[in-house]
């Protein structure tokens, strides 16, 4: 089976620029909201493989997307570690038992796949539903991004607790990050065994660190993950995405990953200047363009496509997830115009 999405990541020829969209299965789709209601809440949806499969397939059925992404969340690992994940309406994710002490970290198991079988069951269920229609992306959070939620107890603007630990007791933070990296390797390994065709690591908060701290506390653990997963699955493409990581693309692209995700704060032409075509590039339309008229969406798509000069190696995406208040009709405009303007 030959897929443009996989070929682009491996820098093989494609018939046109492939596109998928972060959060493509989400609240902007009325059918997603209906299934979530049926499940009760977001985590119950994640923990039900049949319903997780149903929502994964919704954007695939509606749009001509080049890849499906497992419907789940990055916080499944900390949840399985016993931190008690819940979502409070309008406030995002929260943990009942955040990490506070060294003893808390020492008590964490460094592999939690036994409590994540619902994720692997979802992967195999989705894989069967997809057949040869599209490849399936598996994913995890980066150790640094997971650690911020585990230490803050939820979302944060300042990362005060995590950064205090980073500066006051770096060894303690490293212990947590190392355990997370081991868990992520085992988790991604099992997703591939269950049927994932490619993998993505979301480092949503890597961009809040200084350069040297980014390298020490975020990238080095993603490096460990790439090395660990590639040792088992050398042919499974891995994409690393550090939001606001435009200043670190050289270092990211030297990890042995196949693709780098970029947000909209850097231009694709700058990225090509920085790293050439060493790895594939995923991105990077500003998600806010999706609030504009269809004509503007088409014009902005053209702009992004024209900035990329390579023959292959571009995976179109937004620079971050699609937001809940976008009109699904604009998603169709986005997907179709990427294909139309890039057809060879
Ligand atoms: O992209 C996809 O379609 C796959 C599914 C996916 C979700 N979350 C579904 C989701 C993926 C890949 C994620 C990753 C994720 N989760 C990240 C990294 C990516 C990023 O956005 O930077 C992060 C930081 C999380 C943690 C998390 N989960 C947050 C901050 C939120 C938002 C809370 C809110 O109310 O907006 C979630 C919830 C979440 N994850 C939703 C979805 C569809 C919305 C939940 C709902 O239905 O209410």
């Amino acid at each position: 089976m030959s897929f443009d999405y996989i070929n682009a990541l491996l820098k093989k020829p494609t018939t046109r620029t492939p596109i998928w969209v972060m959060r493509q299965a989400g609240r902007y789709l009325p059918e997603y909201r209906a299934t979530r209601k049926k499940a009760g809440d977001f985590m119950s949806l994640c923990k039900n493989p049949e319903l997780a499969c149903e929502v994964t397939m919704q954007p695939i059925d509606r749009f001509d997307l080049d890849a499906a992404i497992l419907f789940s969340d990055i916080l499944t690992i900390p949840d399985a570690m016993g931190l008690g994940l819940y979502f409070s309406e309008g406030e995002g994710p929260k943990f009942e038992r955040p990490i506070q002490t060294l003893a808390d970290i020492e008590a964490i198991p460094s592999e939690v796949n036994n409590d994540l079988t619902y994720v692997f069951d979802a992967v195999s269920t989705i894989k069967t539903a997809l057949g040869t229609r599209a490849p399936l992306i598996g994913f995890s959070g980066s150790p640094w991004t997971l650690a911020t939620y585990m230490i803050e107890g939820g979302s944060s603007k300042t990362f005060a607790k995590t950064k205090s630990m980073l500066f006051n007791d770096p060894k303690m933070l490293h212990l947590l990050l190392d355990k997370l990296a081991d868990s992520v390797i085992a988790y991604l390994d099992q997703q591939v065994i269950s049927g994932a065709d490619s993998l993505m690591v979301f480092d949503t908060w890597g961009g809040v660190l200084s350069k040297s701290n980014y390298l020490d506390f975020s990238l080095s653990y993603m490096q460990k993950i790439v090395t660990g997963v590639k040792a088992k699955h050398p042919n499974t493409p891995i994409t690393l995405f550090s939001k606001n990581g435009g200043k670190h693309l050289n270092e990211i692209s030297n990890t042995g990953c196949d693709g780098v995700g970029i947000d909209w704060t850097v231009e694709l032409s700058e990225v090509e200047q920085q790293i050439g075509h060493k790895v594939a590039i995923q991105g990077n339309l500003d998600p806010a363009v999706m609030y504009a008229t269809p004509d503007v969406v088409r014009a902005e798509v053209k702009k992004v496509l024209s900035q990329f000069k390579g023959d292959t190696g571009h995976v179109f995406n937004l620079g971050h997830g699609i937001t809940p208040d976008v009109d699904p009709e604009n998603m169709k405009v986005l997907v179709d115009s990427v294909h139309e303007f890039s057809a060879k």
Side-chain angles (χ1 to χ4, degrees):
M1 211 40 228
S2 179
F3 293 117
D4 278 340
Y5 166 71
I6 300 290
N7 288 337
L9 284 175
L10 299 177
K11 291 180 292 165
K12 293 180 181 169
T14 57
T15 61
R16 53 194 189 178
T17 303
I19 172 170
W20 72 278
V21 171
M22 289 185 269
R23 290 276 168 94
Q24 62 191 24
R27 284 169 291 185
Y28 75 106
L29 289 177
E31 59 269 35
Y32 169 83
R33 298 195 297 269
T35 309
R36 196 183 79 157
K37 207 166 170 189
K38 194 160 72 179
D41 57 49
F42 172 67
M43 277 316 284
S44 308
L45 180 52
C46 291
K47 289 185 178 179
N48 181 322
E50 268 68 45
L51 294 183
C53 175
E54 187 176 303
V55 292
T56 301
M57 295 303 291
Q58 286 169 349
I60 303 298
D61 290 337
R62 213 193 234 256
F63 312 109
D64 190 16
L65 288 159
D66 293 282
I69 181 161
L70 161 70
F71 187 83
S72 190
D73 200 81
I74 62 166
L75 301 177
T76 51
I77 285 182
D79 186 45
M81 288 175 162
L83 274 65
L85 173 65
Y86 65 100
F87 283 81
S88 60
E89 201 60 46
E91 282 184 272
K94 295 238 190 267
F95 286 110
E96 281 162 22
R97 292 172 292 281
I99 295 291
Q100 286 168 330
T101 63
L102 180 61
D104 292 341
I105 296 174
E106 284 169 342
I108 288 176
S110 55
E111 207 247 81
V112 283
N113 278 359
N114 283 345
D115 291 306
L116 292 166
T117 50
Y118 67 89
V119 176
F120 312 128
D121 291 345
V123 171
S124 51
T125 307
I126 296 163
K127 192 66 188 158
T128 304
L130 276 170
T132 55
R133 282 172 76 186
L136 177 60
I137 306 169
F139 70 89
S140 81
S142 73
W144 162 254
T145 293
L146 294 177
T148 66
Y149 286 98
M150 294 167 78
I151 297 166
E152 304 295 332
S155 303
S156 173
K157 287 204 168 75
T158 59
F159 303 96
K161 293 176 182 148
T162 316
K163 287 197 173 185
S164 298
M165 193 188 292
L166 185 157
F167 290 112
N168 288 330
D169 200 343
K171 268 175 93 173
M172 181 168 157
L173 182 56
H174 279 303
L175 180 65
L176 175 60
L177 294 168
D178 204 49
K179 282 193 165 187
L180 284 166
D182 288 339
S183 310
V184 167
I185 292 169
Y187 186 55
L188 293 179
D189 173 36
Q190 196 58 43
Q191 289 186 33
V192 175
I193 291 167
S194 306
D197 300 292
S198 87
L199 297 169
M200 174 145 169
V201 178
F202 288 92
D203 185 33
T204 309
W205 302 119
V208 305
L209 291 168
S210 70
K211 178 102 197 176
S212 63
N213 285 334
Y214 172 78
L215 299 179
D216 286 352
F217 292 91
S218 182
L219 191 64
S220 62
Y221 294 96
M222 291 200 282
Q223 171 74 70
K224 182 174 180 183
I225 291 164
V226 171
T227 306
V229 174
K230 285 278 177 188
K232 293 176 181 166
H233 308 286
N235 301 322
T236 304
I238 303 179
T239 300
L240 302 182
F241 174 53
S242 286
K243 184 150 178 284
N244 254 308
K247 299 210 168 48
H248 316 306
L249 296 175
N250 237 324
E251 290 85 352
I252 299 171
S253 65
N254 284 332
T255 55
C257 69
D258 301 275
V260 293
I262 56 168
D263 65 33
W264 63 97
T265 60
V266 277
E267 307 256 294
L268 288 181
S269 46
E270 291 173 64
V271 175
E272 278 178 311
Q273 269 168 25
Q274 260 194 72
I275 60 169
H277 297 113
K278 198 160 42 179
V279 295
I281 299 169
Q282 173 185 287
N284 73 341
L285 191 72
D286 183 340
V289 168
M290 299 301 281
Y291 296 132
T293 62
D295 283 347
V296 173
V297 173
R298 289 168 61 84
E300 293 292 325
V301 162
K302 217 175 232 176
K303 248 191 239 169
V304 171
L305 284 171
S306 69
Q307 282 164 10
F308 185 85
K309 303 287 184 243
D311 292 329
T312 181
H314 182 204
V315 174
F316 204 101
N317 206 311
L318 301 181
H320 203 198
I322 188 168
T323 43
D325 45 353
V326 163
D327 181 347
E329 278 306 301
N330 255 2
M331 178 76 160
K332 182 169 164 48
V333 173
L334 171 73
V335 174
D336 291 347
S337 59
V338 168
H339 286 155
E340 181 190 329
F341 297 147
S342 68
K344 296 194 173 128

